[in-house]
Amino acid sequence: MLPFSTEFPVIPSDNRAAFVAEVVAWIRGMQHQTVLSSKSEAELDGANVHVRSNTGEELRMRELRTGDGWTAIGIRHDLPDDLGRVWRTECVLKRGAAEAGQDLVRLRTQCIAATPGARLDTPRKPYLIKALLKNGWGGRDQQFNVTDQPVWIENNDAGLASAKSVTLGEAAKWLPSVYVSATGVSSWLLSQREIEKLAYDLGGVAHVVVEPDRAFSFLLRDKTEGRNAYGGTVGLSVPGQGIVRRYYLGWQIEDSKELAAAIVAATSNVRSQMPAFGWDWTELQEQALRVQREREKDSLTEAEWNQLHQEQVDNLQDRIRELEQQLSASPAASLGTDEAEFSTDNLVKRVGPEVYAGEISDRLRFAAKTTLSVAEQIGLDARSKAILRRVVERLPASPALAELSKDLERATKDPKRVASELTSLLARHGYSEKSDNKHIRLEANKGFDGLDAITLPKTPSENRGLKNLRKQIARTLGITKLDD
């Protein structure tokens, strides 16, 4: 099982005690904590702190000092539970590790089996992140502040440039972005309150960026060559890659509550697997022990040398266990659960690419409706009919289907631009231009089985001809009956 991890820039601070105060307040807020007492808190001023309660709860704190100031400070907190597990949270603040000399904080949480057979659960985002953001620690991640509030984009050139950067993965470096596309003017698949909660849940994990309206989507589509999320779809954008996944109401996700939960889970998983630039606890330990060994090599007694050596061995063993855990978790993470094997993403991988997002879901829905219409003639059993009715009732048409139909209508309005508009549109939906003589011939790309070639006239046509052309393309794409 992979641990949860994230890192993000924080505002620079020379005050070491401010970070310690955040940690103390976080631990004190835990219902069952026993490690902090008046006696133990007096020990937190040292550079190497280790306090343990009689319940097995532990708090370690390590500070790395170089020159006249401190370079990094970190904590590791172990909280055992009644199910034979230990919940471990690590947080390391490293000065000048982010861009432009910003400080960088890295947090990591994992569930560790303390007894054989203990059931491990997926770790959640630690409340310490929420506390840091609430108290104004969030720094600047290129275009966005690190916060737990959504970014409401305005419909202007600056907003369009920002949305394009999100779509292409150029808006941020440290955190992924969740892009919420609009279904209308200030309307989305999620309510405003749900969007605000999504941003709160993903604070310190991702930026939540919200577009203003559908007209904005059309402008963004032209700027990004159709790579944007649109029609209510929520896109997950990774730094350096752009939008890698899209989420919408369909086969697996029935309502906005499930949609938000799926986005939080997927985004947390993506952030946990991104490369680390900050320090984990073991890295801080290694660096601090090395500095201590070099600084005090002439003054340490034999007993102190042995103790220092044992600390280094223990730290290396911790690092080995972490690497072993990552290796053992990777195959499971890639295989997924049995339920996930029938997800839309896996269907796309097995069946082939989609003409538009949600196409396979729409065609399954259409197949179910068609089968039900002839159920009596073919003697369909009652169980199959019940399942197919449930598919029809609970599987809505994808927003991208309506968007494609509207795009076809817009592309066939101007006789002088119809050829170029349709060529550009169909290039985003599985077609490539193969010839350009008196007519333009478009052929389906590899993997788009069942799509016939489309021939577009170059000469302007009357309105009736444009309408017939639009219907002919819709029939070729096989979308005319999907939204019935």
Side-chain angles (χ1 to χ4, degrees), residues 133-366:
L133 296 182
K134 179 182 178 181
N135 294 330
W137 283 77
R140 186 77 176 175
D141 184 9
Q142 292 189 353
Q143 292 190 19
F144 305 123
N145 292 323
V146 179
T147 179
D148 56 7
Q149 300 294 319
V151 178
W152 303 94
I153 291 182
E154 296 184 4
N155 195 343
N156 52 33
D157 290 343
L160 192 61
S162 182
K164 178 183 177 181
S165 296
V166 172
T167 301
L168 302 181
E170 300 169 351
K173 175 180 179 179
W174 304 102
L175 301 179
S177 299
V178 173
Y179 188 86
V180 183
S181 68
T183 57
V185 178
S186 297
S187 63
W188 310 269
L189 292 181
L190 301 172
S191 67
Q192 180 173 336
R193 184 174 181 179
E194 287 172 325
I195 291 173
E196 291 171 348
K197 184 179 185 304
L198 178 66
Y200 178 77
D201 291 340
L202 289 176
V205 178
H207 308 289
V208 175
V209 183
V210 191
E211 75 176 14
D213 50 57
R214 282 183 57 199
F216 186 90
S217 284
F218 303 143
L219 297 173
L220 182 59
R221 178 195 61 187
D222 295 336
K223 293 285 186 179
T224 61
E225 298 180 349
R227 295 172 60 183
N228 61 307
Y230 58 89
T233 299
V234 179
L236 175 55
S237 178
V238 176
Q241 299 183 50
I243 292 180
V244 295
R245 298 192 69 180
R246 291 172 169 80
Y247 299 87
Y248 46 86
L249 301 183
W251 181 256
Q252 278 197 310
I253 303 174
E254 295 186 6
D255 54 38
S256 59
K257 183 178 180 180
E258 289 187 10
L259 178 62
I263 293 168
V264 170
T267 306
S268 298
N269 186 49
V270 166
R271 174 53 266 196
S272 295
Q273 296 184 61
M274 287 175 60
F277 294 90
W279 283 356
D280 286 322
W281 171 259
T282 51
E283 177 69 15
L284 173 61
Q285 282 279 82
E286 181 181 340
Q287 296 293 334
L289 290 170
R290 179 182 58 81
V291 169
Q292 181 183 355
R293 184 179 65 246
E294 293 176 354
R295 184 175 58 236
E296 302 176 5
K297 61 182 179 180
D298 297 328
S299 60
L300 291 176
T301 65
E302 182 178 354
E304 289 171 334
W305 268 111
N306 291 336
Q307 181 182 353
L308 182 60
H309 175 72
Q310 187 59 48
E311 287 187 53
Q312 291 176 310
V313 170
D314 292 342
N315 188 61
L316 287 174
Q317 289 177 340
D318 283 342
R319 184 58 176 163
I320 291 171
R321 280 192 290 268
E322 289 176 5
L323 294 174
E324 287 176 342
Q325 183 187 43
Q326 292 175 18
L327 288 173
S328 63
S330 296
S334 62
L335 289 175
T337 62
D338 291 339
E339 183 179 355
E341 285 298 311
F342 200 61
S343 68
T344 302
D345 287 340
N346 280 317
L347 279 178
V348 172
K349 292 176 183 177
R350 295 183 179 191
V351 177
E354 294 185 300
V355 172
Y356 60 87
E359 179 199 5
I360 292 177
S361 174
D362 288 342
R363 296 199 187 280
L364 289 175
R365 180 174 178 270
F366 174 67

